[in-house]
Structures are given as structure tokens and as C-alpha cells.
Amino acid sequence: MSIKENTSPSLSVFQGDAEATPADSPRILVSRLSAIGDAILTMPVVCCIRDAFPNAFIGWAVESKVVPVVQHHRALDTVIELRPGWYRSPTSLAETRKHLRDLRFDLTIDCQGTLRSSLACYLSGASRRIGFHGKHLWDLGGVLNNEKVSPVFHHQTDRALELLTPLGIHHPKVKWELPIEKSDLKWASDFRSKIKSPRVAILNPGGAWASNLWEPDRFASTARYLADRYGYHSLVVWGTFNERLMAERIVELSEGTVSLAPDTSLKTLAALINTADLFISGDTGPLHMSVAVGTKTIGLYGATRPGDSGPYGQVALQLQYESGSRRHRRAADNRAMRAIGVEHVCAVVDEMHAKKRVARAA
């Protein structure tokens, strides 16, 4: 795919050859702007559209931090990067409108349900703008869409897939196809080969909300159990400075069973997770990345609900829920997460290995 980039202050377009798309094929824009995990949870939508309409021209509007996750996805022809502040001034709105309309979308799918995500759809000029109806809308998110779907399912991925029913897509197969470069896969494979333990677990202590963080000493205790019982060596991944401090604390408490992972980009992190046998994390982007690459995943939940954003098809643990508004839950401490004990996580690991033994014996 050739890449062309528009360098306006508010928007970049990474695209292939639009003229190669047959004139009578649908031109579809998906809008899911922010949060890495939410973008990954939306990937099955573009996979299903591509499978249903192989000749369609498919674009995805995202905000800047999500671009590395979705760029080069096999289902996409275009990634439209909406930069910070793209909706805050008449000039930026006019630039965004022009570039979206240049792509001639005739159909949009708003998978987010916010005013910003529906605004991107509206500015595209598409005549059909599909979005949610009901409780899954934020602020004035539904105002600018003209076809409404009332979702039956609760999980973000299933809800987003329900938006495809007006296109005649029913009972879609859920797949992710997270794009990872071959060079990143090779780097991760080479890194994994230096770890002599038969199994590798990746621990991810970080997260955007303090209320979603599990304690470093509990990660360390879990790693010791994994090593003693099943021969795992654990890697602890990190992104920010504070996350590195947490990671270093886990290594310090682990009695040699955990190593600090190297600094990674989003793509190299995905490749590294792809080499692991197990991934343990709170509700954050890398958790959903792990699901997307097919690694066994345990999600730890306190201030969010696994029914809404759990590791799709995998294991989620929640013993208490920090109820209240989103603002309250985001600002709360991690008392709900502290209800999850090391013994609860280790019991899940035991069950996973028991199932493996049964499967091998069958």
C-alpha cells in the first residue's frame, strides 16, 4: 500500500490508492477516536466489513495516539488521524471537513457514541450515518447520526458489531488481525529465545486510572507462584515513568522470578505479548492487545465492568466494583482491585493448566 500524508495542523491521512476502488463499491468510514484498548475492541468491525464487502473503500477516523495500533491493518484503505484540538476552531473544522469529503464516504459507522465521534461522521458528508440509540451514547453523541441501532449486547465489541446489522451483516465472526510488522515479530522472537524458562508470563501493572491498578507486591507474589509451580519466568512491561517505578518494584520483590521488559513501542509490545504464554493485567490497552494476538489472558477488574470491556473470550476477575459515575470511578483509589487476592489469580492459573492436561489426555 502506498502511503500519502496530508500535513495540515489538525489532520493527517494515511491512505492507499483510492482510485483503485471500483466506482460502485461502498465507501465506509468507521469512527472510534480515542483509547488504544477501545480501538482494539473495535477491530472486529473493520474485519467484518472487509469480509462482507471485499471491494469497499474503508477508512477509520482516530485520534493521534491510536494511529500506531490501526495503521496498516489489512482491512483498511485509509487511516484518518484527527490531531488534538481538531474540533475546537472553525479553521480546524473546515480543514477536517474538506479532507474527509475528499475521500467521498457514503456511509459512516460511529462505534463510540460521543459528540466528537459523530461529528467526524457528519463532517464526512456521508448520507447514511449509523450509530447507537439509547444508554450507550455520551453527551450529544446520537444527534448527528441518522440511522440508530439499539444494542442488545453489553460488551463493547459485540455492541459495535451490532451496528453492522443495517448493512445485512448478522452473526459476524469475531477476529482482530492486529497488524504487527515482521521485523517486530523477529525482534520479539529473538528476545524470547534468550529466556531459558519453558514458559513466559507478562505482567502489566500500569493503567490510565489509579482505581484500576493492582498492587506491585501481589504481582510479585503471583510471579513467584508461577515460577515455583509451573516454571514460568515473568516479564513486567511498562510505558510511563511511574509504570517503570512500579515494574522495578515488582522485580525487586520477585526473588529473581521477574525481569524488567525493555522499552517498547505499541507495535513491539504487541509482538512481545505474542511470544508469551500468559498475560496478567488490569483493564488497559495492552490487555486487549493480548486478546487480539491470542495469548492466554487474565484481566483484573475493579472500577470497570468486565461485561463491558473485559478480555473478550478470556478470563476476568472481579470481586468488588467501584460503583458511581465515570468521574468518581476514575478518581477513586484501588480498594476494589485490592479485593482480588493473589490466591484468586493463582486459582485461575491452576484451572488453566488443569484444562490443558485434560485436553492433552483426551
Side-chain angles (χ1 to χ4, degrees):
M1 177 184 292
S2 63
I3 302 294
K4 302 175 184 178
E5 181 175 357
N6 174 276
T7 57
S8 89
S10 59
L11 177 143
S12 287
V13 180
F14 305 87
Q15 69 179 81
D17 186 0
E19 301 307 319
T21 307
D24 60 347
S25 297
R27 302 181 69 85
I28 302 171
L29 174 67
V30 171
S31 180
R32 179 83 214 201
L33 302 181
S34 60
I36 291 163
D38 292 338
I40 294 171
L41 289 172
T42 305
M43 281 183 182
V45 170
V46 295
C47 291
C48 288
I49 296 172
R50 177 58 68 200
D51 291 345
F53 302 101
N55 295 322
F57 185 83
I58 305 172
W60 190 335
V62 297
E63 291 178 346
S64 297
K65 64 183 177 182
V66 182
V67 170
V69 177
V70 302
Q71 194 177 351
H72 305 305
H73 195 288
R74 70 96 185 167
L76 296 175
D77 298 288
T78 300
V79 175
I80 301 104
E81 176 189 1
L82 301 177
R83 295 175 179 169
W86 66 272
Y87 56 92
R88 294 186 183 277
S89 75
T91 300
S92 295
L93 284 171
E95 288 180 345
T96 302
R97 179 181 182 275
K98 178 185 183 305
H99 291 296
L100 285 170
R101 294 203 172 198
D102 283 348
L103 292 168
R104 308 190 310 280
F105 292 111
D106 47 50
L107 167 68
T108 64
I109 302 173
D110 176 10
C111 295
Q112 190 166 343
T114 66
L115 182 58
R116 282 186 305 174
S117 60
S118 62
L119 178 60
C121 295
Y122 179 77
L123 292 175
S124 75
S127 58
R128 296 182 68 188
R129 301 185 300 279
I130 301 171
F132 292 117
H133 174 75
K135 66 180 181 179
H136 296 294
L137 295 171
W138 296 87
D139 48 58
L140 298 174
V143 171
L144 298 176
N145 297 320
N146 56 20
E147 292 188 40
K148 309 292 180 67
V149 175
S150 297
V152 175
F153 295 105
H154 191 63
H155 194 280
Q156 285 188 42
T157 294
D158 294 323
R159 291 200 316 257
L161 288 169
E162 285 186 84
L163 294 173
L164 303 182
T165 56
L167 307 184
I169 301 174
H170 303 278
H171 311 295
K173 182 179 179 181
V174 176
K175 54 185 177 180
W176 315 94
E177 302 189 13
L178 185 74
I180 308 176
E181 300 293 332
K182 289 182 179 178
S183 58
D184 294 331
L185 290 170
K186 183 180 185 308
W187 169 84
S189 177
D190 291 345
F191 186 89
R192 170 63 181 89
S193 68
K194 297 173 184 176
I195 300 172
K196 302 309 177 185
S197 298
R199 297 185 177 104
V200 169
I202 293 182
L203 314 176
N204 179 45
W209 296 7
S211 52
N212 277 333
L213 302 183
W214 207 41
E215 304 291 334
D217 63 311
R218 300 186 187 198
F219 274 109
S221 296
T222 302
R224 294 197 301 269
Y225 180 85
L226 291 173
D228 294 343
R229 186 71 181 269
Y230 299 109
Y232 282 89
H233 185 77
S234 296
L235 294 172
V236 57
V237 295
W238 52 278
T240 66
F241 175 75
N242 286 336
E243 288 174 3
R244 174 154 184 157
L245 293 179
M246 286 190 288
E248 289 174 344
R249 181 60 176 160
I250 292 168
V251 172
E252 180 184 346
L253 296 170
S254 73
E255 299 177 2
T257 63
V258 181
S259 298
L260 186 70
D263 189 10
T264 57
S265 66
L266 288 172
K267 290 296 183 68
T268 53
L269 176 60
L272 187 62
I273 295 171
N274 184 61
T275 69
D277 302 282
L278 178 65
F279 187 86
I280 304 174
S281 172
D283 182 13
T284 188
L287 175 83
H288 305 295
M289 191 178 285
S290 178
V291 173
V293 300
T295 297
K296 288 290 184 183
T297 304
I298 301 174
L300 311 177
Y301 282 72
T304 52
R305 291 286 198 188
D308 178 73
S309 60
Y312 195 90
Q314 304 240 23
V315 178
L317 276 172
Q318 183 167 55
L319 276 75
Q320 289 185 15
Y321 176 59
E322 183 70 46
S323 60
S325 68
R326 179 180 175 86
R327 178 177 295 180
H328 164 77
R329 290 182 290 112
R330 187 183 185 99
D333 64 21
N334 69 338
R335 60 189 170 188
M337 290 290 283
R338 294 197 302 270
I340 302 172
V342 173
E343 70 275 14
H344 301 124
V345 179
C346 293
V348 172
V349 175
D350 289 341
E351 185 177 352
M352 285 180 170
H353 280 271
K355 287 180 178 178
K356 284 183 181 179
R357 289 194 296 270
V358 170
R360 285 198 299 266

